[in-house]
Amino acid sequence: MMGISAIPKIRRAAFVVLLIILPASVIFAVQQQGVSALIITALTGSSVLLLSWLFFDEYRHAQYQAQLQEIKQQLEQINQGKQDALNIDVTAGPYRELVAEINAHLAKETERLLQEQNFSADASHELRTPLAGLRLQAQVAQRTDKSELKARALENIISAVDRSTRLVEQLLVYSRLSRRRNHAENTRIDITELLQAQLLKTASLISNKQLEISINFTEIQVPKILLHRDQMMAAIENLLYNAIEYSPEKGKIAITLSAASDTLQLVFEDNGPGLSDKDKLHVIVPFQKSSSNKQKGTGLGLAIVDKVVQLHGGDLQLLDAESGGLKVQISLPL
Amino acid sequence: MRILIVEDDSIIGDGLMMGLQMDEYAVDWVENLKTANAALATNNYDLMILDLGLPDGSGLDILRKLRKEKSTLPVIILTAYDELSDKIKGLDAGADDYLVKPFDLDELRARVRALHRRALGRSTPAIEAGDIVLDPSKLAVTRDDENIKLGPREFAILRVLMENQGRIISKAQIEDKLYGWNMEIESNTIEVHMHGIRKKLGKDLIKTIRNVGYVLE
């Protein structure tokens, strides 16, 4: 800041000095006619050069001031929603990087806004389907005089309410993840603790389907790592929930934990129908479900897992299990 | 009337089936394009209720295929989007009507009746045969303005015959309009119900054409 404001003052002083030198040199040349023309020419020539440089610099300075003013005005327009980005030619000036940074930020913001809008549209669509089912089933229960139809309709109503409830819960979890990550909330956690807590929570689902769950640790002592407890809990819950949901009756779920030099690896394998390579790319996008199981699930489970892993600087991979089911492999930095 | 429902959501599909069965239609329900195509190829439907977002493609594909084959099957599309473009796309692909989810069951039932009526070339809601009037919306039959109480199957059989007045309808055709895939048909049910109808509306209303079928003159 100091440098920028000081430069015009120096220039102005130099200009005044030049104004004295130039007429002085002309007078000197007239008086000393015998002196070599070379000195006069050199003196006048250099004076003119210096002068034009000074004037050019003054002009440039005014130009930058105007650019700054233009940036300010355009930012006001952007704030009022009348413009999307700074549209100003600053390729040679000092504001080139500033304008590029602002534009990059604005583009990111626009993209985020667009994603949010799409997400809301998708979420409302996802909620409409169970609501349509609820309304229809309630009307059936209301209109029919057959007790078995009434019972079936009520059963369906309960299952539609459960489905909507899970969707609303998942929406909340996902929207919380979308906020910026706060590293301060991370604590050193033994991930097996989270696993055990979730297994306990899903115990009735597991026994209802008579699933066989095997948990394998390659290390005796799993190292504690820095995790956001609630986020990682949500990720593990979704992984387990998915494995249970897509496993056949009496199916097998294998959970493996292993630690390498710089990563902790968590692998979930089920012997369900698995995913095609195309679906593997789809399912981590919110509300994009696999083509074969469109109506199961909320469309957010693996999107949540992916986001949590990303926020932890880890890596998520969807692979084929040997049994033909899905293998979800998560690597977290130690 | 036999109706095909193409809907992948189990709760909506089941609700549609139960709701339409209340009007004594034969209802079949499929959950994807592939089985829908198979059902259309093997059965004679009077109406189709079609969801657009199916697991193996868009319901519009079936619709376009049907219309390309010059099928006049009345089709109501169900759309989860209340965007105008989806309705326009559906209607332009050959749909006769549309409903936006969530929709009202009674409205759907009325639209089904209206479309079926128009498909049969009738403009009045009630069907008349001499002094007998059948009102599909109330599932009621009157004779000389006097209510005649028919059982649900009897009503459905009479509706088929009155809709096809003057035409001989075989027993198999009647069964086809009464029973969906999920229903058991007993071998002599039609005869039993026919007996019931004749008892309530007179012997001469429906004629039996031996080894061919029935006709209501």
Side-chain angles (χ1 to χ4, degrees):
Chain A
M1 290 301 281
M2 260 292 286
I4 292 171
S5 60
I7 289 170
K9 283 181 193 160
I10 298 166
R11 298 272 152 80
R12 246 168 254 140
F15 181 60
V16 173
V17 171
L18 255 178
L19 276 181
I20 300 162
I21 291 177
L22 195 62
S25 67
V26 171
I27 293 164
F28 178 77
V30 171
Q31 284 174 349
Q32 309 281 319
Q33 279 181 346
V35 179
S36 153
L38 194 70
I39 301 171
I40 303 165
T41 321
L43 217 64
T44 347
S46 62
S47 302
V48 168
L49 268 174
L50 196 65
L51 209 62
S52 63
W53 172 74
L54 265 172
F55 274 118
F56 178 68
D57 221 61
E58 278 292 313
Y59 163 76
R60 255 208 331 211
H61 176 66
Q63 203 185 18
Y64 295 157
Q65 282 291 337
Q67 281 179 358
L68 202 60
Q69 192 61 27
E70 176 69 22
I71 290 172
K72 191 181 147 241
Q73 276 170 4
Q74 287 201 17
L75 280 174
E76 275 168 15
Q77 295 281 310
I78 289 165
N79 267 338
Q80 289 165 18
K82 292 174 184 161
Q83 202 172 316
D84 292 332
L86 289 174
N87 185 16
I88 177 168
D89 183 26
V90 286
T91 38
Y95 304 129
R96 192 177 54 142
E97 282 176 17
L98 178 73
V99 168
E101 273 303 314
I102 292 174
N103 276 344
H105 174 75
L106 287 171
K108 229 164 128 180
E109 201 58 16
T110 309
E111 172 68 22
R112 196 183 59 80
L113 212 69
L114 200 73
Q115 271 179 8
E116 246 169 47
Q117 280 170 354
N118 285 342
F119 185 81
S120 303
D122 287 344
S124 94
H125 174 213
E126 282 301 313
L127 275 168
R128 247 167 213 269
T129 305
L131 285 178
L134 272 174
R135 196 181 199 291
L136 200 52
Q137 296 283 348
Q139 277 192 302
V140 168
Q142 216 172 35
R143 302 277 184 277
T144 187
D145 40 17
K146 290 178 187 154
S147 61
E148 74 268 20
L149 275 194
K150 202 166 277 189
R152 190 162 117 196
L154 291 174
E155 194 74 36
N156 282 329
I157 287 171
I158 292 171
S159 99
V161 168
D162 289 347
R163 223 170 80 189
S164 317
T165 309
R166 172 132 184 103
L167 178 56
V168 171
E169 284 167 0
Q170 295 273 71
L171 278 170
L172 194 64
V173 171
Y174 190 81
S175 70
R176 279 187 184 144
L177 291 179
S178 304
R179 290 192 214 143
R180 240 162 250 159
R181 186 192 175 198
N182 186 359
H183 288 265
E185 288 175 37
N186 288 6
T187 44
R188 288 218 167 263
I189 294 171
D190 179 355
I191 205 162
T192 54
E193 233 180 81
L194 306 183
L195 256 175
Q196 275 163 355
Q198 287 303 337
L199 280 166
L200 219 65
K201 257 175 88 176
T202 47
S204 66
L205 287 173
I206 293 166
S207 69
N208 282 349
K209 265 186 137 172
Q210 299 178 52
L211 300 175
E212 187 187 305
I213 300 210
S214 61
I215 303 172
N216 315 297
F217 302 92
T218 51
E219 306 283 313
I220 300 159
Q221 189 77 46
V222 175
K224 286 189 178 184
I225 54 171
L226 270 178
L227 297 173
H228 187 291
R229 180 180 282 273
D230 293 346
Q231 289 181 359
M232 196 47 73
M233 200 73 152
I236 290 176
E237 193 226 319
N238 275 291
L239 286 170
L240 197 58
Y241 191 92
N242 271 354
I244 294 168
E245 178 79 20
Y246 294 103
S247 283
E249 295 267 326
K250 294 180 181 170
K252 283 182 184 140
I253 297 172
I255 303 169
T256 312
L257 253 174
S258 58
S261 60
D262 54 350
T263 55
L264 183 75
Q265 210 172 60
L266 177 61
V267 178
F268 276 72
E269 279 174 280
D270 64 59
N271 64 340
L275 286 173
S276 68
D277 287 342
K278 203 177 141 204
D279 281 338
K280 283 189 192 108
L281 296 174
H282 269 164
V283 291
I284 55 165
V285 181
F287 303 118
Q288 299 258 340
K289 300 177 185 178
S290 79
S291 51
S292 51
N293 279 303
K294 215 185 103 209
Q295 55 156 309
K296 275 191 191 173
T298 59
L300 282 174
L302 281 170
I304 289 172
V305 176
D306 185 47
K307 193 100 193 181
V308 171
V309 172
Q310 264 181 44
L311 289 171
H312 281 85
D315 173 60
L316 169 78
Q317 283 198 52
L318 302 181
L319 306 159
D320 294 321
E322 266 175 45
S323 58
L326 184 66
K327 177 178 178 179
V328 185
Q329 183 177 301
I330 290 169
S331 310
L332 295 166
L334 278 178
Chain B
M1 161 149 71
R2 193 179 188 97
I3 299 175
L4 179 66
I5 298 169
V6 189
E7 165 66 63
D8 68 313
D9 182 84
S10 60
I11 289 169
I12 297 177
D14 189 63
L16 283 171
M17 191 156 89
M18 286 196 284
L20 291 170
Q21 278 172 347
M22 285 197 282
D23 286 332
E24 302 304 329
Y25 303 130
V27 186
D28 297 330
W29 165 32
V30 297
E31 297 177 61
N32 52 49
L33 286 181
K34 208 176 137 204
T35 37
N37 280 320
L40 285 167
T42 47
N43 291 275
N44 217 341
Y45 290 103
D46 299 292
L47 194 135
M48 174 161 71
I49 294 170
L50 180 66
D51 180 38
L52 293 187
L54 296 165
D56 51 350
S58 168
L60 291 177
D61 296 344
I62 293 194
L63 200 51
R64 292 202 185 96
K65 188 169 159 261
L66 271 177
R67 298 307 182 221
K68 213 176 152 193
E69 292 162 359
K70 309 277 180 230
S71 161
T72 56
L73 178 69
V75 177
I76 301 176
I77 52 169
L78 301 178
T79 153
Y81 320 92
D82 46 9
E83 273 178 39
L84 194 63
S85 65
D86 288 296
K87 298 171 196 167
I88 295 171
K89 257 189 241 160
L91 291 171
D92 280 345
D96 299 275
D97 205 347
Y98 65 83
L99 278 169
V100 177
K101 292 177 189 173
F103 51 83
D104 187 89
L105 175 62
D106 295 336
E107 183 181 346
L108 173 76
R109 288 160 79 184
R111 285 176 190 266
V112 165
R113 284 192 296 271
L115 271 185
H116 184 52
R117 166 159 51 86
R118 257 177 274 151
L120 294 173
R122 211 174 71 228
S123 54
T124 53
I127 317 170
E128 292 176 32
D131 52 1
I132 293 163
V133 179
L134 182 143
D135 184 344
S137 68
K138 298 190 183 101
L139 300 179
V141 178
T142 58
R143 179 181 207 173
D144 282 333
D145 296 330
E146 199 184 310
N147 256 325
I148 309 285
K149 239 186 137 45
L150 291 181
R153 290 272 173 261
E154 291 170 354
F155 174 85
I157 293 171
L158 185 65
R159 184 172 58 193
V160 174
L161 292 170
M162 284 183 80
E163 280 172 353
N164 294 283
Q165 217 164 319
R167 245 173 284 159
I168 301 168
I169 307 292
S170 72
K171 190 182 148 189
Q173 280 173 314
I174 294 175
E175 281 172 350
D176 200 51
K177 303 290 180 206
L178 253 60
Y179 301 100
W181 298 329
N182 60 340
M183 290 167 143
E184 295 259 335
I185 316 168
E186 287 161 41
S187 59
N188 64 342
T189 349
I190 301 295
E191 284 88 344
V192 172
H193 292 314
M194 207 58 85
H195 181 72
I197 296 170
R198 282 175 173 144
K199 230 169 119 182
K200 290 167 189 168
L201 290 169
K203 267 190 237 162
D204 306 327
L205 182 69
I206 300 164
K207 280 193 187 118
T208 302
I209 315 289
R210 199 166 262 286
N211 294 326
V212 181
Y214 303 94
V215 64
L216 190 141
E217 300 283 3

